[in-house]
Amino acid sequence: FGSSDPSVMCLHSLTSEAVKKASKPVMKDIMWTNFDTARILVEAGEAHPSDFWTFCGYAGWGPGQLMGELERKSWYMAATDSGTLLKEMARMGRDADPRDAGLDTWNLLMGMIGREVVAASSRGSFEDLMLKEWVRANLLPVRPRREIPPGFASTQELAALSAPDAVAQRAREASAAGGAVSPGTLIRAARR
């Protein structure tokens, strides 16, 4: 469930009294709590990690700031209900590719309020690409680099060999790893 962070908030639609006491309403059937409280609820058996939609980051406004942004049309307003919101959040949790950085959801929601032309005009923009890069660098798991086992050649070492030598090296590696290498075995080699 991760480490504690005050900028991590959890939305949920749980209805037990213990959970309601530890949460604040957002709209009908949707409540929020902080990450530490969500963890305590899970540890107490009142909830399961999959009951929460977890959001990182913070957005806040000073006095009058949000009203000014609304007047400048910096936001798109739409009426919705908790059922629609919960359904979309469940779809996101199930179907969304995190590498897309929520842009598919943005396009879907913009289409739902009749703003698909606006969404399409920014699709693939520099801002979208930068958002995806930020998500890749900050939110997606880092895959550890695989070490090259002793006796195996690196790609750089193979690139320095002629194609027949590279094929022979791959054959030796496959054989050493217990692979069956015999006449007719296909071994891949490529030149730069």
Side-chain angles (χ1 to χ4, degrees), residues 39-136:
R39 182 191 330 233
I40 291 167
L41 292 168
V42 168
E43 289 170 356
E46 293 288 337
H48 188 270
S50 62
D51 292 328
F52 296 98
W53 292 281
T54 304
F55 297 88
C56 300
Y58 170 80
W61 293 268
Q65 182 181 355
L66 180 57
M67 195 52 138
E69 290 178 10
L70 289 169
E71 289 169 1
R72 287 191 306 277
K73 302 198 184 310
S74 298
W75 292 92
Y76 295 105
M77 299 278 292
T80 190
D81 60 79
S82 58
T84 301
L85 184 59
L86 289 170
K87 182 178 165 186
E88 177 54 21
M89 289 171 63
R91 185 202 67 79
M92 285 173 49
R94 184 184 63 247
D95 301 337
D97 182 346
R99 295 171 297 182
D100 189 53
L103 294 171
D104 59 339
T105 300
W106 165 254
N107 290 317
L108 174 74
L109 294 173
M110 290 293 281
M112 290 171 75
I113 64 170
R115 302 282 187 163
E116 53 276 309
V117 173
V118 174
S121 70
S122 67
R123 196 170 293 131
S125 67
F126 176 75
E127 290 83 1
D128 285 0
L129 296 174
M130 290 305 296
L131 177 60
K132 286 182 179 184
E133 180 60 23
W134 184 89
V135 166
R136 186 198 62 73

Side-chain angles (χ1 to χ4, degrees), residues 161-175:
L161 300 175
S162 67
D165 289 338
V167 169
Q169 176 67 27
R170 289 279 187 212
R172 285 192 293 277
E173 291 173 0
S175 180

